[in-house]
Amino acid sequence: MKPGMVPPPPGEESQTVVLPPGWQSYLSPQGRRYYVNTATNETTWERPGSSPGIPASPGPHRSSLPPTVNGYHASGTPAHPPETAHMSVRKSTGDSQNLGSSSPGKKQSKENTITINCVTFPHPDTMPEQQLLKPTEWSYCDYFWADKKDPQGNGTVAGFELLLQKQLKGKQMQKEMSEFIRERIKIEEEYAKNLAKLSQNSLAAQEEGSLGEAWAQVKKSLADEAEVHLKFSAKLHSEVEKPLMNFRENFKKDMKKCDHHIADLRKQLASRYAAVEKARKALTERQRDLEMKTQQLEIKLSNKTEEDIKKARRKSTQAGDDLMRCVDLYNQAQSKWFEEMVTTTLELERLEVERVEMIRQHLCQYTQLRHETDMFNQSTVEPVDQLLRKVDPAKDRELWVREHKTGNIRPVDMEI
C-alpha cells in the first residue's frame, strides 16, 4: 500500500523546506495539502513552523481533522490510498469552469492520479511506502481495498466481498463442527445403550468359582462403562455442542451488522462517480457549443447570434453547477465508504479472532472430556484385572468338591 505523500505541486516550492520532527505532509483526494503529527495524530491544513506544533503562517484554515486509521481519517478522507493494480486515470474534483479544458496543468494532474473502485487517489509511483495500520500483522484493514484480479488482470470480486466470503465460510465450518459433535453424541448414546444391554445378557452366568466372580465383574464393568459414555455424551451436548450453536447464532447477528450497507455504499459510490463523469461530459459539450457560437459571432454579427451566445453561456454555467453538485455528492459517498470500510474490516477481523478462539476452547474441552472418559473406562476394568489375577483352579475344585461330594468310597483290589 502507498501513502498520500507526494512532492509539492507547482506553486508550493516555498514549502519544500524540511518539516519539523514528527510531522509529515499528505495530499487529500481533492489535491489539498495537509500535515499530520505522527506522534500526537494532530492534523492541520497549515504547514508547521520550525518549532514543533507552531504553524508557519497562522490563518483561519486550521482544522481539527480526526486521527488517521489505516491511512484514512475517521471522517473518511483518505490520508493514504490503498495499493492496487493499474486502473483508469481520472480527476474526481476540480473547478467546473476548467473541467472541459485540456490545459497542461490538468493533464499533469491526471497523470498523478488513479481511480480505484471509483475513488481517486494520487498515483502510487509518486509516493513512498504507506505506513500500515498493523505493520506486524496481515490485517484485513490493510489489504482488501482493491478488487481481486483474475489471471487476465480483470476485476472479479470486490475486496470487501472476499472478507464476507471468509466470514460466511467460517460460519459454515462452525455449523459442520456442531453437526460433527452431534453425531459423536449419537454414537456415544447408542454405544452406551448397547453396552448396558450387553451387561444384562445371561450368557455364561452359570460359571462358578473365582473365574465366575471375574466373569460377573466383566459384565458389571460394561454397565459402568455404559454409564460413563452416557455422561460423556451429556457433557458433549451441554459443554461443546450447545455453546457452538449459540455462538453461531450470535455470529450470524454480528455478520448482519457488518453486511448491512457496505455493498449499497459501493453501488452508491459507483453511481455518484458515473454522475460526475456524465456531468463532466455535459459541461464539455456546453463549453464546445459556447465556443462555436462565439466563433460564429466573430464571423458575422447578428442579434440572433448574440442571443444564442447568451443561451449557450447560461447552459454552460448550469452544466458547471451540475458538475459541482455531482462532485459534492460523490465526495460525501466516498467519505462514507472509506469510514465504513475501515470500521467494518476491523470488526470482521475481531469476529474472526473471536470465532477461532471460541472453537479452540471448546475443542480443548472435547479432548479433556475424552481423556476423562478414557480414565473412567480404565477404572471400570481394574476390578476385573484384580479378580483375574486371583483365579485359582485348584482352590475352585476343592471348594466345589467339599460342597457337592457324595462319599469317598474307592474301588479296592479283591483277594483270590
Side-chain angles (χ1 to χ4, degrees):
M1 298 178 73
K2 307 288 185 180
M5 295 189 298
V6 299
E12 292 193 11
E13 290 82 357
S14 61
Q15 296 191 14
T16 57
V17 182
V18 178
L19 292 171
W23 287 90
Q24 291 185 356
S25 173
Y26 301 95
L27 283 182
S28 69
Q30 291 74 29
R32 187 175 179 184
R33 184 172 297 282
Y34 63 97
Y35 303 89
V36 178
N37 188 316
T38 57
T40 64
N41 282 332
E42 177 186 358
T43 58
T44 176
W45 295 114
E46 301 170 3
R47 183 180 176 280
S50 57
S51 299
I54 303 178
S57 56
H61 300 295
R62 184 171 182 82
S63 170
S64 57
L65 293 174
T68 58
V69 178
N70 187 36
Y72 301 94
H73 292 299
S75 62
T77 302
H80 319 293
E83 180 182 15
T84 180
H86 174 72
M87 297 186 72
S88 59
V89 176
R90 302 284 185 184
K91 181 177 178 62
S92 63
T93 60
D95 187 348
S96 63
Q97 298 304 317
N98 296 326
L99 291 174
S101 64
S102 58
S103 63
K106 181 174 184 291
K107 183 177 180 182
Q108 181 66 25
S109 175
K110 280 193 173 185
E111 291 176 351
N112 289 335
T113 60
I114 62 172
T115 297
I116 305 166
N117 294 334
C118 302
V119 183
T120 304
F121 298 101
H123 198 282
D125 294 341
T126 65
M127 300 172 292
E129 289 292 328
Q130 177 190 348
Q131 182 179 359
L132 301 178
L133 177 68
K134 299 181 179 180
T136 59
E137 301 178 23
W138 289 94
S139 173
Y140 292 169
C141 194
D142 287 322
Y143 296 101
F144 286 93
W145 292 88
D147 293 350
K148 185 176 180 62
K149 304 290 182 180
D150 61 19
Q152 287 71 38
N154 301 316
T156 53
V157 183
F160 183 75
E161 291 298 324
L162 288 174
L163 289 179
L164 289 183
Q165 290 176 9
K166 165 69 173 173
Q167 302 301 311
L168 292 174
K169 184 178 179 181
K171 187 175 71 172
Q172 178 63 24
M173 293 301 100
Q174 200 167 311
K175 177 183 178 183
E176 293 179 5
M177 288 180 182
S178 300
E179 293 174 350
F180 174 89
I181 298 299
R182 188 180 304 116
E183 289 300 317
R184 186 74 167 92
I185 291 173
K186 290 180 180 179
I187 292 173
E188 290 296 321
E189 290 176 345
E190 187 67 22
Y191 185 53
K193 178 180 177 181
N194 290 335
L195 287 179
K197 181 179 179 181
L198 185 59
S199 69
Q200 301 299 321
N201 196 297
S202 61
L203 291 176
Q206 66 272 22
E207 182 64 52
E208 299 176 343
S210 56
L211 182 59
E213 293 177 5
W215 178 248
Q217 186 60 45
V218 168
K219 295 169 65 176
K220 182 178 183 303
S221 71
L222 291 181
D224 295 339
E225 188 176 352
E227 184 178 356
V228 168
H229 284 277
L230 198 59
K231 290 181 179 179
F232 176 48
S233 65
K235 287 187 176 181
L236 280 181
H237 173 70
S238 62
E239 300 180 19
V240 181
E241 181 200 12
K242 191 173 180 180
L244 281 175
M245 294 302 295
N246 290 340
F247 184 85
R248 181 173 180 271
E249 291 302 316
N250 295 330
F251 188 80
K252 289 169 60 177
K253 295 177 182 177
D254 292 335
M255 278 293 298
K256 288 182 180 179
K257 293 178 183 177
C258 294
D259 192 25
H260 57 303
H261 62 287
I262 283 287
D264 292 339
L265 288 175
R266 174 75 180 271
K267 292 178 182 178
Q268 185 184 73
L269 187 64
S271 175
R272 300 298 190 199
Y273 181 80
V276 168
E277 292 301 299
K278 182 178 179 180
R280 192 193 312 280
K281 291 179 181 179
L283 176 60
T284 302
E285 292 176 359
R286 296 304 182 188
Q287 288 180 332
R288 187 182 298 113
D289 184 58
L290 176 59
E291 184 178 353
M292 183 179 65
K293 293 292 193 301
T294 303
Q295 291 175 352
Q296 291 176 356
L297 179 61
E298 293 175 353
I299 297 173
K300 182 179 180 180
L301 294 175
S302 67
N303 292 334
K304 185 176 184 305
T305 305
E306 291 180 358
E307 184 64 28
D308 289 343
I309 290 178
K310 291 180 181 179
K311 185 182 296 184
R313 186 176 291 114
R314 286 196 299 270
K315 290 183 179 180
S316 178
T317 302
Q318 180 63 41
D321 293 341
D322 291 343
L323 175 59
M324 293 307 297
R325 184 173 64 256
C326 290
V327 167
D328 288 339
L329 292 174
Y330 164 79
N331 287 336
Q332 293 174 17
Q334 170 184 305
S335 297
K336 186 64 176 175
W337 186 70
F338 273 121
E339 179 181 349
E340 291 295 332
M341 274 292 291
V342 172
T343 302
T344 308
T345 52
L346 291 176
E347 178 65 11
L348 289 177
E349 190 172 281
R350 183 193 67 80
L351 289 175
E352 177 68 4
V353 172
E354 181 179 338
R355 184 188 72 86
V356 171
E357 177 60 22
M358 188 281 304
I359 292 178
R360 186 194 69 82
Q361 291 178 0
H362 285 86
L363 289 181
C364 287
Q365 180 66 12
Y366 167 81
T367 58
Q368 178 63 28
L369 291 174
R370 187 70 181 82
H371 289 317
E372 291 177 359
T373 301
D374 291 340
M375 292 174 58
F376 287 130
N377 284 337
Q378 182 63 31
S379 67
T380 63
V381 297
E382 287 177 356
V384 177
D385 291 335
Q386 294 174 4
L387 288 174
L388 288 175
R389 285 193 293 268
K390 295 178 180 179
V391 171
D392 185 352
K395 184 177 180 181
D396 289 347
R397 187 171 62 254
E398 177 185 348
L399 292 175
W400 187 85
V401 169
R402 285 182 180 180
E403 182 177 350
H404 300 286
K405 67 180 179 178
T406 60
N408 56 0
I409 298 178
R410 293 175 297 177
V412 296
D413 292 337
M414 296 181 64
E415 294 181 359
I416 299 178

